[in-house]
Amino acid sequence: MAIKSLETEQQISIQALIRSWDGRLTWDFLVTKIESSLAITTTRQTLDKYLNIKNEYKEKKRLLKGKPISTTDTKLVSYLEKDIDLAGKVIQLEAELKVAKDEIGYLQAFIQKVTNIGESNPAVMDIFEKAFQDIESKAR
């Protein structure tokens, strides 16, 4: 059975999960955690096809290299036992927010570049305006 493509929000959630990871990281551990924490069924091969996820994984592996494996998540130690799940969710959401803000920054820079090109080339600006109108009409 083929695994469906990951939506942008799912990719952001997975990237955030990787960023907040503590301890030994493997593709198998990641796939298991994604399924249990995010309710997303996927495979290591599917994750590897997404450059943003693959890069996030490689960067986290690099950061964790040589770091002692922690059996407890130090960010959660200060919370009461019953609040660990909520604290984990907060950490996950903060990491998702950071990923989303990074993506928004890249998109804003791209939009600015496109706008600058469009200002000097009316034909390009016409194409962008038509695309924008299509997006607006579909949003309604």
Side-chain angles (χ1 to χ4, degrees):
M1 183 170 103
I3 303 291
K4 67 177 183 153
S5 298
L6 295 172
E7 296 174 7
T8 303
E9 287 183 17
Q10 291 175 318
Q11 292 177 46
I12 289 172
S13 294
I14 292 168
Q15 284 179 264
L17 181 68
I18 294 169
R19 282 191 189 180
S20 64
W21 195 276
D22 192 23
R24 185 169 177 232
L25 176 61
T26 66
W27 283 112
D28 289 336
F29 287 167
L30 181 59
V31 168
T32 302
K33 184 71 173 179
I34 289 169
E35 190 163 353
S36 67
S37 295
L38 304 176
I40 299 170
T41 303
T42 189
T43 64
R44 132 190 209 330
Q45 292 81 4
T46 299
L47 295 174
D48 194 57
K49 289 179 184 176
Y50 291 90
L51 187 61
N52 54 347
I53 293 172
K54 186 177 184 176
N55 289 341
E56 201 74 54
Y57 178 87
K58 285 181 179 179
E59 178 62 16
K60 190 62 173 186
K61 287 288 277 190
R62 186 187 68 75
L63 291 172
L64 291 172
K65 191 172 190 154
K67 183 179 175 185
I69 296 174
S70 172
T71 56
T72 59
D73 188 352
T74 56
K75 290 182 180 179
L76 301 179
V77 170
S78 64
Y79 292 96
L80 296 172
E81 189 66 35
K82 67 181 181 175
D83 293 333
I84 288 178
D85 287 338
L86 290 175
K89 186 66 176 172
V90 168
I91 291 168
Q92 170 70 19
L93 291 172
E94 287 172 344
E96 283 182 28
L97 181 60
K98 173 77 171 99
V99 171
K101 284 181 178 180
D102 289 348
E103 293 294 323
I104 289 169
Y106 295 134
L107 291 173
Q108 286 175 328
F110 174 76
I111 290 168
Q112 187 59 49
K113 267 198 181 300
V114 167
T115 302
N116 292 342
I117 292 169
E119 287 174 354
S120 63
N121 189 338
V124 171
M125 194 52 120
D126 289 342
I127 292 169
F128 293 136
E129 287 175 3
K130 287 178 186 174
F132 183 69
Q133 289 171 355
D134 284 348
I135 292 169
E136 282 187 328
S137 68
K138 290 178 183 176
R140 293 180 190 159

